[in-house]
């Protein structure tokens, strides 16, 4: 534990070491950027996102969409069958915030950076660098503009709050059986979604965090793949607790900062964050990742 910690602290002061961290297995060769099978389109319930963010620090503040029914885009994630990623592909296209200017209003409202006290472009930059660079192997998504436009378009085409409310699932304080939530989306789209929950550090309640839809390389909606989680046909694709109701709150619960929430927001879009991804992200973003987050992440990782 301390050795890894020391190694990572070294990384923070000397990025050149990061090419070859001591005692790290040789890096597997990076996945070619076109080597993926389908896109996972992830939307967040911003109320849950905000609750998680505020729990992590008493300094944290949120920005929420004006329309209190909006599920916001998290990202479009190219995915290989049976795996997560690829991530951070070797695309020549660099993130350019100027390209987002014409759609800034829509991005703020529908692809909201809920974590208000972060850099204004940080969510979009991260999504582009980690996932957009891989998506760019498709002509339909081969620019920053096309990637973000597609995310906004799907947000309008697949309005989760309307889909859910048609099955009488509206935000409340009692929560819902996860099968009912899952079936509501499945009935509305005709395809299997994936649903992710997070556990609230303080109340230990399971909160609905993200609902994901899957698309093939023609950008047609397809079933998310059951075998990804080692399940079988008919299973629910979800990490949510099936033994008690999952919460779909209308407003951010009255949180207080708690030490127990140690997941970093930058890792929340992989099922099983691992050290390699951590280091990769670290290399990429340089010193942007705070040491605090690394220590918290390591605690999570090693516990
Ligand atoms: C689901 O994944 C498995 C391997 O994990 C693969 O064999 C199968 O073809 C996939 N099904 C679909 C519909 O993509
Ligand atoms: C995507 O799905 C649509 C509808 O099922 C199908 O017509 C199309 O051929 C698929 N595209 C690819 C690349 O698999
Ligand atoms: C949720 O619904 C499923 C299927 O109807 C049922 O088997 C399960 O017991 C329910 N869970 C809860 C917590 O009510
Ligand atoms: C959402 O906004 C509508 C219209 O402004 C308002 O009537 C409603 O009470 C709000 N719902 C919640 C849960 O805040
Ligand atoms: C939130 O909780 C704190 C401490 O538990 C309490 O002092 C405060 O009044 C609560 N605020 C609301 C709006 O319930």
């Amino acid at each position: 534990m301390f050795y890894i910690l020391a190694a990572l602290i070294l990384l923070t002061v000397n990025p050149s070491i990061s090419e070859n961290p001591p005692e790290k297995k040789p890096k597997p060769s990076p996945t070619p950027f076109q080597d993926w099978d389908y896109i996972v389109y992830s939307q967040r319930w911003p109320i849950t996102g905000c609750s998680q963010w505020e729990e992590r620090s008493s300094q944290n503040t949120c920005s929420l969409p004006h329309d209190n029914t909006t599920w916001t885009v998290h990202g479009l994630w190219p995915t290989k069958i049976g795996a997560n990623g690829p991530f951070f592909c070797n695309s020549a296209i660099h993130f350019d915030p100027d390209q987002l200017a014409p759609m800034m209003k829509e991005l703020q409202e529908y692809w909201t950076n809920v974590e208000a006290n972060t850099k204004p472009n940080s969510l979009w930059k991260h999504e582009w660098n980690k996932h957009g660079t891989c998506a760019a192997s498709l002509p339909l998504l081969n620019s920053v503009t096309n990637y973000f436009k597609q995310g906004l378009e799907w947000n309008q085409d697949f309005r989760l709050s309307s889909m859910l409310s048609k099955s009488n699932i509206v935000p409340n304080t009692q929560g819902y059986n996860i099968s009912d939530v899952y079936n509501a989306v499945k009935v509305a789209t005709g395809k299997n979604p994936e649903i992710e929950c997070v556990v609230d550090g303080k109340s230990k309640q399971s909160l609905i965090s993200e609902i994901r839809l899957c698309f093939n390389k023609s950008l047609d909606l397809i079933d998310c793949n059951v075998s990804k989680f080692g399940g079988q046909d008919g299973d629910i694709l979800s990490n949510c607790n099936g033994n008690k109701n999952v919460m779909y709150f209308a407003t951010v619960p009255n949180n207080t900062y708690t030490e127990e929430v140690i997941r970093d927001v930058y890792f929340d879009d992989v099922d099983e964050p691992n050290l390699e991804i951590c280091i990769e992200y670290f290399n990429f973003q340089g010193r942007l990742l705070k040491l605090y987050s690394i220590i918290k992440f390591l605690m999570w990782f090693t516990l």
Side-chain angles (χ1 to χ4, degrees):
M1 162 81 197
F2 274 104
Y3 185 76
I4 303 174
L5 194 60
L8 271 171
I9 289 168
L10 264 179
L11 289 180
T12 67
V13 292
N14 189 349
S16 67
I17 294 179
S18 67
E19 296 307 321
N20 236 327
E23 298 224 342
K24 195 174 163 261
K25 282 185 225 131
K27 241 188 174 170
S29 43
T31 318
F33 86 140
Q34 71 282 9
D35 193 7
W36 51 269
D37 301 304
Y38 64 104
I39 292 174
V40 175
Y41 174 63
S42 193
Q43 301 193 74
R44 319 173 75 183
W45 180 236
I47 300 295
T48 298
C50 174
S51 162
Q52 293 280 295
W53 181 240
E54 288 187 343
E55 258 191 352
R56 292 179 55 219
S57 162
S58 55
Q59 311 298 310
N60 284 350
T61 55
C62 300
S63 70
L64 294 170
H66 293 105
D67 178 348
N68 63 15
T69 67
T70 299
W71 284 69
T72 58
V73 184
H74 187 169
L76 287 69
W77 306 334
T79 302
K80 199 167 164 55
I81 289 172
N84 290 313
F87 304 121
F88 300 112
C89 294
N90 192 17
S91 147
I93 309 165
H94 292 287
F95 180 80
D96 175 4
D98 289 349
Q99 290 183 274
L100 300 182
M103 52 180 133
M104 190 47 73
K105 256 194 137 113
E106 290 81 4
L107 288 171
Q108 282 168 346
E109 185 65 14
Y110 303 110
W111 200 323
T112 315
N113 181 15
V114 171
E115 289 86 9
N117 53 311
T118 53
K119 285 190 180 165
N121 289 318
S122 59
L123 170 65
W124 305 316
K125 187 177 178 187
H126 171 74
E127 292 301 312
W128 173 261
N129 286 339
K130 184 166 178 183
H131 307 284
T133 52
C134 307
S137 67
L138 276 193
L140 290 163
L141 301 174
N142 68 357
S143 66
V144 172
T145 303
N146 288 349
Y147 180 81
F148 286 95
K149 268 201 168 143
Q150 188 63 63
L152 291 171
E153 195 178 309
W154 278 338
N155 180 268
Q156 299 305 303
D157 292 348
F158 301 95
R159 300 189 68 87
L160 291 173
S161 53
S162 321
M163 292 180 184
L164 295 171
S165 66
K166 281 191 186 119
S167 294
N168 298 315
I169 294 172
V170 293
N172 67 9
T173 52
Q174 286 81 51
Y176 295 92
N177 185 324
I178 187 61
S179 340
D180 296 336
V181 180
Y182 187 87
N183 287 328
V185 180
K186 181 155 180 165
V187 163
T189 62
K191 303 290 178 192
N192 292 329
E194 284 177 20
I195 304 186
E196 190 182 88
C197 289
V198 291
V199 176
D200 185 73
K202 197 178 163 203
S203 68
K204 309 294 180 208
Q205 285 171 321
S206 189
L207 314 181
I208 300 181
S209 163
E210 306 214 340
I211 295 184
R212 299 170 184 162
L213 301 172
C214 298
F215 293 84
N216 70 12
K217 284 187 162 180
S218 318
L219 306 188
D220 289 310
L221 187 68
I222 57 168
D223 280 318
C224 293
N225 195 327
V226 176
S227 45
K228 184 173 167 187
F229 293 98
Q232 296 166 352
D233 241 2
D235 283 357
I236 288 177
L237 293 174
S238 175
N239 69 347
C240 302
N241 190 334
N243 299 319
K244 57 179 191 182
N245 276 3
V246 295
M247 296 297 142
Y248 179 31
F249 286 127
T251 53
V252 182
N254 186 7
N255 273 325
T256 44
Y257 168 62
T258 156
E259 285 290 337
E260 290 177 73
V261 180
I262 55 178
R263 243 179 136 183
D264 190 282
V265 64
Y266 290 113
F267 302 110
D268 69 1
D269 50 1
V270 288
D271 299 314
E272 299 278 336
N274 62 49
L275 192 57
E276 197 158 293
I277 289 166
C278 171
I279 288 174
E280 236 180 85
Y281 179 66
F282 186 78
N283 286 345
F284 206 86
Q285 296 284 347
R287 268 135 289 191
L288 195 138
L289 195 61
K290 285 189 281 258
L291 188 59
Y292 167 82
S293 310
I294 296 174
I295 292 168
K296 287 285 192 186
F297 174 73
L298 273 172
M299 281 165 58
W300 177 87
F301 178 74
T302 52
L303 283 178

